[in-house]
């Protein structure tokens, strides 16, 4: 059973890397209804996600050092969670497993990297704690992410559940990135809420992205 968990976590890590590729894409005319590829395609970092909603911009909502107004909400009845994000962000989701939802803040077409918050839901083959799940994911982050460095790891409460808050940095396609990831387990599922920004923009984005990640709520058991 432990081996099965490690293999699933490997897929999760690859989906996360592929997500960064889609967020840095600047190709015009991307078509709707594109699905998240399987793990083998994800390992090539070519995933794209389909548009779910695109709300109108609000003044100061994107890129502000102040905490944003989280006026938009993604509700996933299938996996029993919801996540709030600012108006003006683009929300997308993929139907493949692990299930993936991403909200991103494209400020302009010239952005080198699009800051984003994503939720991955993974079905677990056995009962695990959040600490167990984080322990199983740690070696994969170290081996799969370039120049990976853990900054902090703490036990917190999120959505009324014990969770692990992991803060780290790594480099992807020449972009030094900062990441905060919350990992929690509820019943047979693991929920991983991850926010990513460029390290050069950390002062600007750290508090807003963390606030969005912490807006995560469970809607069913």
């Amino acid at each position: 059973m432990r081996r099965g968990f490690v293999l699933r976590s490997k897929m999760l890590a690859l989906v996360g890397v592929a997500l960064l590729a889609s967020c840095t894409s600047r190709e015009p005319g991307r078509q709707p209804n594109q699905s998240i590829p399987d793990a083998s395609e994800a390992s090539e970092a070519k995933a794209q996600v389909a548009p779910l909603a695109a709300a109108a911009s609000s003044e100061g909502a994107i890129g502000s050092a102040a905490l944003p107004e989280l006026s938009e909400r993604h509700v996933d009845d299938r996996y029993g969670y919801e996540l709030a994000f600012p108006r003006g962000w683009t929300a997308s989701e993929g139907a493949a497993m692990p299930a993936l939802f991403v909200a991103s803040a494209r400020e302009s077409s010239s952005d080198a990297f699009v800051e984003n918050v994503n939720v991955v839901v993974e079905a677990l083959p056995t009962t695990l704690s959040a600490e167990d799940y984080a322990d199983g994911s740690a070696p994969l982050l170290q081996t799969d992410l370039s120049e990976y460095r853990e900054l902090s790891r703490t036990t917190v409460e999120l959505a009324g559940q014990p969770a692990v808050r992991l803060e780290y940095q790594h480099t992807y396609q020449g972009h030094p990135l900062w990441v905060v990831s919350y990992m929690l387990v509820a019943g047979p599922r693991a929920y991983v809420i991850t926010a990513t920004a460029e390290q050069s923009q950390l002062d600007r984005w750290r508090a807003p992205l963390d606030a969005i990640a912490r807006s995560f709520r469970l809607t069913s058991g």
Side-chain angles (χ1 to χ4, degrees):
M1 298 300 284
R2 183 68 176 177
R3 175 179 171 82
F5 162 66
V6 170
L7 291 176
R8 294 287 293 173
S9 295
K10 179 74 170 180
M11 183 186 294
L12 185 152
L14 292 174
V15 169
V17 170
L19 170 64
L20 296 180
S22 71
C23 288
T24 54
S25 174
R26 288 293 176 270
E27 296 178 4
R30 189 169 59 185
Q31 298 300 310
N33 300 322
Q34 292 172 313
S35 60
I36 303 296
D38 60 24
S40 62
E41 292 171 303
S43 65
E44 298 174 1
K46 295 180 179 178
Q48 293 183 350
V49 289
L52 174 67
S57 297
S58 61
E59 293 183 1
I62 294 179
S64 172
L67 293 181
E69 179 184 354
L70 306 183
S71 57
E72 302 296 316
R73 186 166 294 274
H74 172 73
V75 179
D76 192 316
D77 293 328
R78 182 180 179 187
Y79 295 107
Y81 76 89
E82 58 183 43
L83 184 79
F85 56 95
R87 185 178 300 275
W89 284 42
T90 298
S92 307
E93 64 181 342
M97 284 298 292
L100 173 67
F101 169 76
V102 56
S104 57
R106 172 176 281 182
E107 295 180 273
S108 71
S109 60
S110 62
D111 281 349
F113 178 81
V114 179
E115 281 69 25
N116 67 89
V117 178
N118 71 81
V119 180
V120 172
V121 184
E122 181 179 16
L124 299 177
T126 188
T127 301
L128 295 169
S129 67
E131 289 284 351
D132 290 337
Y133 188 87
D135 288 343
S137 300
L140 300 170
L141 294 172
Q142 294 169 7
T143 57
D144 291 350
L145 300 182
S146 177
E147 300 182 59
Y148 173 85
R149 183 164 74 92
E150 181 177 313
L151 302 176
S152 68
R153 172 174 162 167
T154 56
T155 300
V156 298
E157 184 177 288
L158 182 66
Q161 302 287 332
V164 172
R165 183 187 187 277
L166 180 66
E167 194 171 344
Y168 61 92
Q169 62 188 37
H170 70 101
T171 301
Y172 184 76
Q173 292 188 349
H175 295 278
L177 302 178
W178 167 88
V179 182
V180 62
S181 186
Y182 290 85
M183 307 178 194
L184 66 90
V185 175
R189 296 174 183 149
Y191 297 83
V192 183
I193 306 94
T194 301
T196 306
E198 286 191 285
Q199 289 182 33
S200 62
Q201 300 294 316
L202 186 53
D203 289 344
R204 183 183 191 185
W205 283 107
R206 184 175 195 164
L209 288 176
D210 196 60
I212 297 168
R214 288 187 288 106
S215 77
F216 177 87
R217 296 291 182 267
L218 293 171
T219 58
S220 65

